[in-house]
Amino acid sequence: MCRHAAWLGAARPLTWLIHEPEHGLLKQSYAPRRQRYGLINADGYGMGWYDPGRAEPVRYRRAVPIWTDANLPALAQVARSTCLLAAVRSATVGMPIEESATAPFADRGWLLSHNGRVVRDALRDLVDDLTHDLADRAESACDAAWVAAAVFLRGRAGLGLGEALTEVVVRAGEKDPAARLNLLACDGASIAATVWGDTLFHHRLHDGVRVASEPLDDLPGWQAVPERSLLTVTRDDVRVQPL
């Protein structure tokens, strides 16, 4: 159910997550090694990055398999930032396959990807005190877009990135015991991610930290994040805490 990855550190191109690693997101789209649900991620892909000249992140999303986009290699070479996020999609059965249903979702300075599935009824109660209609806040009718909308509403209400992810995941998970809620989000200066039903790893390098659903290469240093945990990454710290 999707693969995603992010980087925080020295400025790097998006090829750093997609093409350069032996098992980058391009390879994970058709041959993931640790994906628990689904065999292929061909229902779209997206990427987001931060540019000093813009107040909000830049996004590029397509509803086609990542390997079919002839424009991507050159674009990923020049799209460079200190904070990157990219994802390949395996759509939940019954959910639309369209660009608006493809991660990363965005609101102001936040980007978010959802690896998993959840019934939308489990999300309705999350917004009763914030808005009357979550569907109007979501980019798409898909479950991931509803998750993103719930997180973004909490950000607009004043919660930090990790706090917003935690509240949505824990409360939605209580409503839907079968939910898989691996979220990956960033704000340009930090990364936050949850582990709830699938795998997540982080890799600290001398100039930054990579976070991914599964290791992007076989180099030593990748560490698995335990189930039902929150991972937070800043320039100075990597922290894991239980949900």
Side-chain angles (χ1 to χ4, degrees), residues 5-188:
W7 164 256
L8 182 70
R12 295 286 179 89
L14 273 155
T15 52
W16 175 240
L17 300 178
I18 299 172
H19 301 94
E20 290 182 35
E22 182 181 358
H23 297 282
L25 285 182
L26 176 62
K27 183 74 170 287
Q28 290 182 25
S29 68
Y30 60 84
R33 297 186 291 173
R34 306 205 183 198
Q35 190 163 325
R36 295 177 180 175
Y37 303 92
L39 300 174
I40 194 169
N41 300 288
D43 296 324
Y45 81 94
M47 54 194 195
W49 66 99
Y50 294 81
D51 186 279
R54 285 176 53 94
E56 298 180 352
V58 184
R59 286 188 297 168
Y60 181 81
R61 299 185 294 172
R62 297 291 309 278
V64 298
I66 190 172
W67 62 82
T68 67
D69 188 346
N71 298 310
L72 175 63
L75 177 59
Q77 286 178 348
V78 298
R80 175 181 294 268
S81 177
T82 58
C83 187
L84 308 167
L85 191 151
V88 289
R89 184 181 185 220
S90 175
T92 301
V93 175
M95 295 298 167
I97 298 174
E98 57 191 14
E99 288 182 8
S100 60
T102 305
F105 303 98
D107 184 70
R108 299 185 297 174
W110 288 14
L111 293 171
L112 183 142
S113 172
H114 173 211
N115 167 26
R117 56 144 304 277
V118 61
V119 296
R120 282 172 289 188
D121 283 346
L123 300 166
R124 294 185 190 276
D125 291 345
L126 289 170
V127 295
D128 283 349
D129 54 340
L130 298 172
T131 184
H132 294 297
D133 194 348
L134 182 58
D136 286 345
R137 298 280 186 166
E139 289 189 59
S140 166
C142 75
D143 52 352
W146 280 45
V147 169
V151 170
F152 296 153
L153 283 168
R154 274 152 181 76
R156 287 178 175 266
L159 292 187
L161 197 61
E163 296 172 310
L165 264 61
T166 296
E167 183 170 316
V168 169
V169 167
V170 171
R171 290 179 59 182
E174 290 172 350
K175 293 284 186 178
D176 180 5
R180 298 189 295 275
L181 292 158
N182 275 40
L183 306 185
L184 177 62
C186 57
D187 60 9

Side-chain angles (χ1 to χ4, degrees), residues 161-163 165-166 192-195 225-226 228-232 239-243:
L161 197 61
E163 296 172 310
L165 264 61
T166 296
T194 58
V195 182
V225 183
R228 301 209 171 183
S229 295
L230 171 71
L231 170 73
T232 53
R239 184 171 300 179
V240 176
Q241 59 193 77
L243 290 170

